[in-house]
Amino acid sequence: MAPSALVEAPAQALQSSPLHESSVPYHDNRNQAREIFDEDDPDTDAEEVSGAVDAPRISERRRQQNEVFKMWMANRSEKVAKEEAEKSTLDSNDELLSIRSLMAKHESNVIISDPREYQLELLEKAKKDNVIAVLDTGSGKTLIAVMLLRHITDQELMDRAEGKAPRISFFLVHSVALVFQQYAVLEANLDQPMERFCGSMNVDFFSKQTWAKYFEINMAIVCTADILLHCLLNSFITMSQINLLIFDEAHKTKKNHAYARIIKDFFVPESMTTRPKVFGMTASPVDAKLDVIEAANLLETLLHCQISTTRDLALLRQSVSKPKEQISTYDTLPKPYMTSLCQELKSRFNDVQIFDRLFISTQNIASDLGEWAADHLWQLALADEEAEKLQRKTERAFTVSGQSHEISVLNDQLQLIKEAKSIVQAYPLPHPERMTRGISSKVQSLKKLLNKIFELPSDSRCIVFVTTRYTARLLAAIMRRVGNQNLKLGVLIGTRTGEAADLKTSVRQQMLALSKFRKGELNVLFATSIAEEGLDIPDCNYVIRFDLYNTLIQYIQSRGRARRKNSWFISMIEGGNLDHRRLINDVRNSEDIMRHFCMSLPADRILQGNEHDLEDAMAQEKNLPVYIEAGTGAKLNFHSSLARVEHFVGCLRRDDETIPKVTYALSFDGKRFVCELIMPPTSPIRSVLGRPYPRKSLAKRSAAFEAALLLRADGHLDEHLLPIYHKVLPAMRNAHLALNSKKAKSYPMRVKPIIWENSWGTVPTSLYLTIIDLKHPEAMGRSFVPLALLTRTPLIEFPSFLVFPKPGMASDVVCTRVDTALGLSGCQLDVLNTFTLRIFQDIYNKHYEENLPQMSYWLAPIKRSASIRNGHVDPAPLIDWSIMEFVQLNRNIPWTPDMPHTELGDRFLVDPWAGGQRYFTVKVDPNKSPTSPVPEGTPTRRFMANILDYTISLYGKTRRQREGTWNESQPVIEAHRVIHRLHWLDDWSAAEINAHTRCYVCPEPLLISSLPTSVAASAYMFPAVIHRLESHLIAQELCDKVGLVIEPALALEAVTKDSDNTEEHREAQVHFQRGMGKNYERLEFIGDAFLKMATSIALYAKNAKDDEFYSHVKRMLMICNKNLFNTAMDLNMYEYIRDKSFSRRTWYPDGLKLIEGKGKNVSTKHDHALNDKSIADVCEALIGASLLSAEPSDMDMAVKAVTKMVNNSLFTEENDHQAEKFSDYIETYTVPEWQTLEASATHFNLVDQCAREDPGYRFKSPRLLKAAFTHPSTPYIWEKIPCYQRLEFLGDALLDMVCVRFLFDRHTDRDPQWLTEHKMAMVSNTFLGALCVRLGFNKHMRHLNSMLAAQITEYVTDITEAEATSNGARDYWMNTRNPPKCLPDIVESYIGALFVDSDFDYKQVERFFEDHVRWYFEDMSIYDSFANAHPTTHLSNLLSTSLGCSNFRLLCDELPTIDGQSAENPRIVAAVMVHDQIIADSEGTSSRYAKIRASQLAIEELQGILRVDFVRRFKCDCKELEADLLAASEEGPVDSAV
C-alpha cells in the first residue's frame, strides 16, 4: 500500500456516453511490438505515440454507425432533390429556379422524332464499332448518342431477360453544367430509369452499397468523368459491368484527363469480350496546334475508336446552316503602355508584389481596349471587397514565404494597398468617349459592328468571343456606355475563381444567362471559351471573334454557334498583322485536311490496326507501380494517388474543417527528384517519403502513392481505398460574428522561452539558483538529491506541479528560487559546465560541444542536508561541489578485475555502444557467471545466449573481433534496466507498468558512470521538469507582452489547450495531450462572464444616450470571438499557446552543437494547428486568470485585460472600453439629466418600500430606482424617466458574473458545461420571476398593458401558492408556469440600478446575491433536472440512465447544394441513431438547432417506453456488454514483457 503521505495518481474511470463522450485514452497496439527500452537512443517515438498524443480510435461500432448514417443521408438527399424538382413549375421566374429546374424548363421538350439521314448513318456505324463522331457544333451529335443509348438499352433488357448479369451505360461529360444539360435531353428521350451525378453532390462519400443501389435501379448514368473514374478506382463498379461509354467532347482525351485514365487504366486491361462499346463526340479531333492527321490518329488510339463523319456533306449542310464568314479589320493597336493613373500607381506602389499582375494586365488592356478600360480595371480591383481580397492574399503569401517574423514588412504592404485604394477611388474617370484614347480602335470597330447589327429592335442574337474574363467584363461595361439603346448585354464566363476584379460566377448563373439569352432578355453575350463547347446555347445569327481563335477546334466550335440561316461569323483582325492573317489561313486549311481525312477513311477499317500504337502510347506508364486490393479489386496507381490522399485529408475527423492540406516538399540531387509528403497534424500519418524520379510530377505522385499504401496498411483506408473517417460539418456557419471551432490553421509555436536566447553570448561570473525538489522524495523509490537549475538571470517563482515517479504514485515538484546570486570563479564554472554536459551525455546520450557563452542553464546537485526555508540564503553552501569535482576528474570508471565487488553495487552503468541502454545496479550475484543463461523474465534483446552475450551491444564485424577477448571470470551484477520514460508529467501506461526491468549484466562491456545513482535518478526527472518550467516562462512572456500581472500557474493554465477540441466539453477529446495540467476551459468560462460584465459597465457609463439595442450591438462587436481573434493575431498570441505535451525531441537546450546522439538542434519556434476559436478563447482565459490572480475584491487587472483584448482597430470602430482599473468606470460616467430632476413624493415612497424589501441598501437617487421599475410601455414624457431596458442590460451582466463566480469558487472540479447548465437555473426567467414576487418588486412596476396585468396576477397567484405548499423546498419555483418576462427583467434592472446608485460598487451586487439568491442554490444537485431539460442532455440521460443503452449517437451532415444554392444558407440535417436505426431527424440552417429539434423528436418517440419494449424493438444488449466489460476490467493488468 502506498504511504499515506503520498498522493495517489487518479484512476481512469470507464465512462461512455455517445452524446457526451468522455475522453478515454487508448493504447496504440502497434506500440506493443516496440521495445520500451530503445537499443540506440532514448529518443524513441513510442512514448510520443502512446503517451503524449493519445487519441480515441474510431471503433468498429462507430464506423458502422457512420456508414449507416451516410447511406441514410444519401437517401435523404435523393428524396429532397426529387421533391424540389416536383415543386418547380415551368412558369416560375427563372431568377428563382434551380439549375435542375432551369434545365427542365428549357430542355425537356427536345424529343427526337425525325433524325436526319447522316445521323442514322453514323448510328449504324456506332452500333457495329467503336466510333468517334466528328460533326460540326449544332449538328445533332447528342441525338445520335441518345439513339445509340436506346439501342444498347433494348439489348440490355433482352440480355437481362435471358438471365445475363446486368450492365449499365455511362454518358460522360467534362463539366457540371453539362451533367444537367445532357441529363435533361436523355430524360426527355428515354423511358428507362437514369440518374445524374456531379462532385457537388457529395458522391465522394457514397459507399459501395449506395452506388450498388444506383447501378441496380438505373439503366444509364450521366456524370462527370471523374466520378466514373472514382467508382472504377474504388471497385464500386468494373468495366465488365458497363455496356456503353459515351464521351462528350471526346477531343479532351489526352494525357491524364479522366477520359484518358478510364481508357488506359480500366478499358485496355479488360478482356476484349467484356469491354463496353465506346462512342465519342467532337467537332474536331484537334484541340491544340498539332498536325491534324497525327492528332486524329492519337485520339483514335487513346479512345480505341474509329473517327467517322457523314459521307454526304450535302446532307449535313441541309440540316446545319453554315454561316457566312467575314473579316473585320481594325487599325493597328499601340504597344502595351501605362495610363496616367497606372504611372502614378507604379511610381508609388511598385514594391507591392500583389500589384505586379495588375500592372501587366492594365498595360495590355490599355492597348487592347483603351485607357478607360485599364483605369476601370483598377477601380474594380481596388473596390472595397476586392481590396480586402488583395490584403488577404498578401497576408497568405507573406505567411507562406516564411517571413512571418518580419511583420512590419507585411504591415507596410497592407498600408500601401489601402493608400492605393484611396487614390483609385478618388480618381475621376470620365465617359470613355470623352477621353483622348479612351477606347481602342479594336473596341471602336466592335462598337460599329454591334450598333449596325442592332440598329433597330430585332430578335437577333450575338455572341462576342474573348480570351479572358477581364475582357468580357470590361467590354460589357464599355458597351453599356457607348452602345445604342437596343443592346441588351450579358456576360458568360467560367466558374473558376479568378484574380482581383475578376467576376465571380456559378453554374446556376451560367444557366440563368443562357435562359435570358434564349428568351431575348439579353441579345449580346460577351463569352469566354465556356461558350465554345458543350453548353446548349440558343442559335445565334452573329458570332464575333473579338479575340481570334488559337486552334482548329476553337474555330469550328465558335463558328458553330452561328446556326441560324443567313448568319454571320466575323473574325476581327488587326490591320497589317500577318500573324492574324496566317492564323485564319491555317485553321481553314486544317479544317479541309481534317474533313478530307475523315472522308477518306476506309469503310471496313478494323480496330486491331491501332493496338500497337496504343501499346506505344502506354509504354511510358508500364514501369509505374500499381496496387490492386485483392478482395475488392480497388485500384491505386500513380495518377490516382494524389486524389486519394487529398480525399483522405478532406475526410479527417477534425474539430475542424479545415481546411487542412497536404504539403509536398521536393529535393533534387542533381539527377532525380525526391518528394516528402507532409500530412496535416490531425492525420495519423504525418510524413511519407517517395522514391526518386527524374520528373517533379512523378516524384510527387510517388510520395502520394507510398502514403496511400501506408494508410491502407494501417487500416485508415478501407477495402475500397476510401477513408474510414466521417466528415464533420463546421459549426455556427450562419453566425456572422462567430468563429469556426473546427477548421485548424498552421501557426508558429514557441518551444523555448526567449529568456534563454537573450542570455547567450557571455561567460557568467554569477548565477541564480532555482532548486528542484520533491515534496515526497520517497515517491522516487530510490535515493534522490535535489537539483539546482542555475541561470544568468533570476527566474520567476514557479508553482508546484505533479510528477509520477512510480506507478500509481505522484508527488509535487517544489521549485524554490534563491534570491542571492552565486558568485563563480572560472574553475567553478568549468566544474559546473562539465557536470551539466556529463548528465546530458550519460543519462540522455547527448554529447554537446562545450560552449559556455551558448549555455542556457546549468545543473548542480544540492546537499540533502541543506536547509532552504526561503529564498534569502547564501547559495554557495547548498551545492555539493564534491560530487561535481569527482565527475570532472573521472569521465567514467572502467571495470578492472581487481575492483572490489562492493564497489559495483548502487552504481549507474552506461552502455557505450547503445545509447538507450542504462542500468541501476543492485549487487553482485555470486551464483551466476558470464556464461550463465539469461534468467527468465529478463527484458529481451537481440543476443540472449548468456549473460555476457546479453550485455554486449556490439554488432557484426566489431562484435566478432571482440569475441574471445572478454574476461570470462568477471562478476555478474544484478541490475534494473532503465525504462526510457521521460514524460514524468503523466501517469504510467500499462506497458510501462508491466515492463520487466530486472536483469543481469557483466561490467566489462559497460562503463561505470561517475554520476552517483542519486544524481542519475534526479536527472531522469529533469526533462519533464524543464518542459513544465519552460512552459511557465513562455506563458509569462505572453503576460509581460500584454502587460498583465498573472500568477504563473494561472498564466500557464490560460494558454494550455490539451486536445484539438478542448472547448467541446464532454465530447471525445481528439488528439488528447497527456500530462499538460489544467487547460483553459474553466478560466475561459469565468473570463467570458467578466468580459460581458466589464463591457456592459463601460457601455452603460460611456454611452448614456444609447438604447439597449445599440448597447447590445456594441457589446457584441467587442466581445465576439472575431474581435478577440483579431486582437490575438495582433499580439501573435498563437505562438504562446501550449497544445503539445512533453516531447522527447524538444526539451533539450538549444544553442549548443550536438556532436554525438540522435536529434538535431531545436528551433525556438515550431508550427502547430489551431482553430480560430481556440485562439479567441485564450483571450477570455487570460481575462479570467487576471481576475483570479488578485483578491476577490480587486478587479483592476481583469479590467486592464479586457481593455487589451477588445480594442481592436480592425473590427471595432470605437474604443468603448478604455478603463485600466475598475474605478475608471465611474470616472467616465456622467449622471444623466433626467436623473437629477426633482423627485416626487411617490419616488421617495418607492425608496422607502424597497429599503424594506431589500434592507441591505437604501437608494440615493429615487428617480433612478423608479427607472428600474418602468416598463417600456410607459411614455417617457410623463415623468421624464426612461424605461428599465438599459438598466436591465447592465444588471443582466452583473448577475451573470456574480452567479458564475459563486459556482466557479464553490465547485472547483466541475467542467464549464456543468457550470453553464447550472448557471442557467440561477439566471433563468423562471427563477428570477419567482424572486421578483418574493421580494415584492412586481407591485412597483408601472406599465400600460391590461393583458400584462392579467398575466402578472395569474403568475403571482400560482407562485405564491407553490411557495406556501412547498414545505420549505428551495426549488418550488421550478414547477410553476413561466412568468411574464417583465418580472425577471425588473430584478435585473434593480441590480443594475443598485450598482449605479452605489457609485459602481460591485460589493453591493455581491451583497444582493448573498441576501436574496444564494439560499436557493446552496445545494446545486437539486437543479440537475433543470440542466437536463436541454433536449440533447435530456435525451442522453433518457437513453443511458432510464433505458440502459449506450449504442446511440446524434449525427449531423449537410444536404448537398447541387442546385446553385448559396453556401451561406446551408441545409443541415441532424438525426438520432439508436442501434443503427434512425428514430428522429430534423432539418435547419444551423447544426445547433437541427440537433435540438432532432433530440426533441427522439424524446417524444421514446418517452414512456418500457425497458423491455425498448430492448425488443432495438435488440439492445448494452447492459450485458457493460457487465462483461466491467468484469474483464476487474481482472487487472496482464503481466507482459513489452
Side-chain angles (χ1 to χ4, degrees), residues 24-234:
V24 183
Y26 78 102
H27 179 66
D28 191 335
N29 293 329
R30 291 175 297 176
N31 297 327
Q32 293 179 359
R34 299 176 179 159
E35 288 282 355
I36 290 180
F37 315 95
D38 192 289
E39 290 285 340
D40 299 318
D41 191 77
D43 293 344
T44 176
D45 292 331
E47 182 175 295
E48 293 190 5
V49 175
S50 64
V53 198
D54 275 354
R57 288 181 299 181
I58 298 179
S59 66
E60 188 61 35
R61 187 174 81 182
R62 291 177 71 85
R63 287 196 205 101
Q64 182 178 345
Q65 290 170 336
N66 290 343
E67 193 64 32
V68 171
F69 182 63
K70 282 193 283 186
M71 291 188 66
W72 182 85
M73 276 298 298
N75 294 332
R76 176 67 178 258
S77 301
E78 180 183 9
K79 179 181 177 182
V80 169
K82 289 181 178 178
E83 289 175 351
E84 288 181 349
E86 291 172 359
K87 291 179 182 177
S88 300
T89 56
L90 292 178
D91 57 350
S92 298
N93 184 351
D94 284 357
E95 295 281 357
L96 305 177
L97 289 178
S98 65
I99 298 174
R100 287 177 179 167
S101 304
L102 284 168
M103 289 295 180
K105 182 173 180 179
H106 298 294
E107 303 293 342
S108 60
N109 56 351
V110 183
I111 300 176
I112 301 173
S113 57
D114 186 21
R116 305 293 183 179
E117 288 187 26
Y118 69 88
Q119 292 171 328
L120 295 173
E121 178 189 1
L122 284 174
L123 172 63
E124 291 305 313
K125 287 186 178 182
K127 288 179 181 180
K128 299 175 184 178
D129 301 313
N130 292 344
V131 168
I132 302 173
V134 178
L135 294 173
D136 278 350
T137 300
S139 58
K141 297 185 292 293
T142 301
L143 302 188
I144 301 174
V146 171
M147 290 188 291
L148 177 61
L149 192 53
R150 277 182 184 172
H151 170 73
I152 296 295
T153 301
D154 291 341
Q155 282 188 337
E156 175 64 18
L157 291 173
M158 288 188 291
D159 289 344
R160 293 187 183 185
E162 295 174 1
K164 295 181 181 180
R167 304 175 82 190
I168 191 170
S169 302
F170 279 88
F171 194 121
L172 303 180
V173 298
H174 66 89
S175 69
V176 175
L178 289 174
V179 170
F180 294 95
Q181 175 179 296
Q182 302 292 33
Y183 176 82
V185 175
L186 264 61
E187 188 178 37
N189 291 282
L190 295 176
D191 59 354
Q192 295 297 324
M194 66 188 70
E195 191 51 88
R196 72 298 212 194
F197 295 104
C198 57
S200 59
M201 295 179 177
N202 272 345
V203 294
D204 284 350
F205 303 101
F206 282 11
S207 65
K208 182 178 178 65
Q209 291 78 7
T210 303
W211 279 116
K213 185 193 72 171
Y214 284 118
F215 296 151
E216 179 183 356
I217 64 177
N218 292 295
M219 296 291 286
I221 286 179
V222 183
C223 65
T224 53
D226 288 313
I227 289 178
L228 176 57
L229 182 59
H230 169 81
C231 290
L232 289 167
L233 285 168
N234 293 315

Side-chain angles (χ1 to χ4, degrees), residues 854-908:
Q854 289 298 108
M855 291 289 288
S856 299
Y857 51 77
W858 291 264
L859 297 174
I862 296 295
K863 297 175 182 177
R864 173 53 71 184
S865 59
S867 176
I868 313 169
R869 295 182 179 179
N870 55 58
H872 302 291
V873 295
D874 182 5
L878 304 179
I879 298 177
D880 195 333
W881 290 99
S882 62
I883 292 178
M884 293 194 292
E885 290 167 354
F886 180 80
V887 170
Q888 185 181 39
L889 295 174
N890 299 275
R891 178 176 179 81
N892 281 300
I893 306 170
W895 174 83
T896 59
D898 58 351
M899 181 177 288
H901 288 185
T902 55
E903 293 188 15
L904 294 175
D906 194 26
R907 289 285 194 176
F908 183 66

